[in-house]
Amino acid sequence: MHSWSAPDVPSLPGHGLTVHLHDTAAGALTPTRGTDETATLYVCGITPYDATHLGHANTYVGFDLLVRAWLDAGRKVTYVQNVTDVDDPLLERAEQTGTDWRELAESQTDLFRSDMTALRVLPPDHYVAPSRRWISWPRRSSACSPTAPPTAVPLPEGAGGDTPELGDVYADLSVDPLFGTGAHLQPDQMIEVFAENGGDPDRQGKRHALDPLLWRRTRVGEPDWDGGSLGRGRPGWHIECACIAGKHLGSLVEVQGGGRDLIFPHHEMSESHLRVLRDTPAPVMIHNHGGMVGHEGEKMSKSLGNLVLVSELVAAGADPMAVRVGLLAHHYHSDWEYTDAGLAAATDRLDLWRRAAAGESGPAAEPLLQQVREALADDLDSPRALAAVDDWARAALAGDGEQVQGAPDLVRRTVDALLGVAL
Ligand code: ZN
């Protein structure tokens, strides 16, 4: 599926440093690999029933910094993102609103594309919608089929569901002794979080409450695909991401990312599927998760009615670059609240940078380039990088120190290439 058009990335002198990232499973900073290895990144995409709110934008701008830092360090990057367009929340929303699920998904994915373009986010190399791909996967590649895990367990006949004679297929997590080692939750917490995030711990006939759905057989009124020996139906959420990652990124996902609400069950379970599919103990090297963005005291969500949409901010006159600067003012790992005052401060900051970078000469830019590179290499510390740009901009406007011809041009290229902000 097409993603969106890529913004230009200006070239910079020298090269960036090895990026260290916070690994959720280890609870510590971990170095990413060297320049001789292609960086492989999988970021879970949107479920296309809500346009891009700032929580989404925060996640994708955060991983955009990672891609930019990797490219600057001289690494090749293969970046895969999915669109969760085959899953219950989308189908439920389509049903509630009397919309065709395909039209809903397409219109919301289009809005996402235009928001990402406005925010100058580099597009993934593979932008994958299960609805487009699933038809051929079970036949084309046995390694990417829900039947491929040796642990696929059909529900016994009569075990429940609308068409119990068909038998939905679940993964047997007991064959994966490493399941549960990433999220650091107690068994009862896992069941609770699983139930709150699309899981079905109480489904009759399952071997274990936590076992996740691999293949849901056809129900009346639901989209379905030919699943070969599984019959018609649709894949479960976690196997979708495991198959997409396995197909496009090979044996090792260097970084598996998303918002913190995906740590469990989604990432724990999709990694477990990958472990079994690939027969390897560690198919994911680093698990990296962004914080949650709140508004009016709550996490942003459609049900609470407190969404702040990028498209609405821009329609109301906000400069998309100010929105981006406002996101980068918070470390990707932290939870924060959107406020109009925060956006106004980001707009002022952008204005400061633009005024300072508009001249022909200014304080030397190489030290700033080095500071931004060091900040990004240190767990994508964007607040530190922004503070360094502030310092340069204030010095430039004050005419401090030796004035170097061309310095503002290098600052513009630095801010553009590494922070994705066009001045
Ligand atoms: Zn995912």
Side-chain angles (χ1 to χ4, degrees), residues 52-353:
T52 321
H53 62 67
L54 283 183
H56 300 132
N58 192 53
T59 297
Y60 303 112
V61 166
F63 287 103
D64 186 50
L65 282 188
L66 173 61
V67 173
R68 288 170 182 275
W70 270 339
L71 292 174
D72 182 50
R75 296 194 67 186
K76 287 202 176 91
V77 179
T78 304
Y79 176 12
V80 179
Q81 189 183 126
N82 70 312
V83 179
T84 310
D85 70 347
V86 180
D87 198 23
D88 295 341
L90 170 74
L91 301 172
E92 285 163 10
R93 179 64 58 82
E95 169 105 28
Q96 285 161 11
T97 55
T99 321
D100 181 277
W101 68 273
R102 291 175 208 81
E103 286 172 21
L104 177 62
E106 197 53 44
S107 66
Q108 295 300 300
T109 305
D110 267 347
L111 256 178
F112 178 71
R113 290 186 181 105
S114 57
D115 288 347
M116 291 297 102
T117 305
L119 292 171
R120 304 187 92 242
V121 172
L122 295 169
D125 301 284
H126 302 280
Y127 192 45
V128 185
S131 67
R132 310 278 184 93
R133 306 292 303 184
W134 200 267
I135 301 164
S136 55
W137 282 7
R139 293 206 200 105
R140 193 182 285 172
S141 166
S142 61
C144 257
S145 158
T147 48
T151 61
V153 182
L155 285 186
E157 281 196 16
D162 305 329
T163 50
E165 72 281 5
L166 295 174
D168 295 337
V169 180
Y170 282 77
D172 176 0
L173 293 175
S174 69
V175 301
D176 176 14
L178 293 172
F179 173 79
T181 51
H184 307 295
L185 295 173
Q186 296 302 312
D188 56 333
Q189 289 176 307
M190 283 199 244
I191 291 174
E192 196 182 319
V193 179
F194 181 54
E196 290 166 357
N197 290 276
D200 53 358
D202 299 326
R203 178 89 191 266
Q204 292 295 307
K206 283 169 63 170
R207 194 201 54 80
H208 188 280
L210 282 176
D211 286 352
L213 179 74
L214 289 175
W215 189 254
R216 176 177 162 91
R217 302 294 289 265
T218 299
R219 305 292 199 276
V220 175
E222 291 189 4
D224 59 6
W225 289 265
D226 180 2
S229 62
L230 295 168
R232 294 193 69 81
R234 60 182 168 97
W237 177 28
H238 316 303
I239 192 72
E240 286 178 10
C241 279
C243 284
I244 294 167
K247 183 183 172 77
H248 293 287
L249 296 177
S251 58
L252 182 70
V253 181
E254 185 165 345
V255 175
Q256 178 191 49
R260 188 175 299 136
D261 52 349
L262 295 182
I263 295 174
F264 194 90
H266 185 50
H267 284 171
E268 186 82 46
M269 289 188 173
S270 51
E271 188 188 10
S272 174
H273 293 333
L274 265 181
R275 250 193 309 265
V276 174
L277 283 164
R278 296 280 171 190
D279 193 21
T280 178
V284 175
M285 186 177 136
I286 296 174
H287 308 75
N288 186 257
H289 295 96
M292 299 284 107
V293 182
H295 184 45
E296 295 166 344
E298 304 272 5
K299 178 188 155 184
M300 268 186 213
S301 75
K302 185 88 172 179
S303 56
L304 293 170
N306 65 344
L307 295 186
V308 178
L309 305 183
V310 173
S311 49
E312 289 181 0
L313 290 178
V314 172
D319 185 326
M321 290 297 92
V323 176
R324 184 166 173 125
V325 168
L327 295 168
L328 296 177
H330 306 273
H331 191 269
Y332 79 87
H333 198 244
S334 63
D335 295 336
W336 56 280
E337 279 258 320
Y338 168 81
T339 61
D340 291 339
L343 179 59
T347 305
D348 289 346
R349 191 172 210 170
L350 182 66
D351 179 60
L352 169 77
W353 294 4

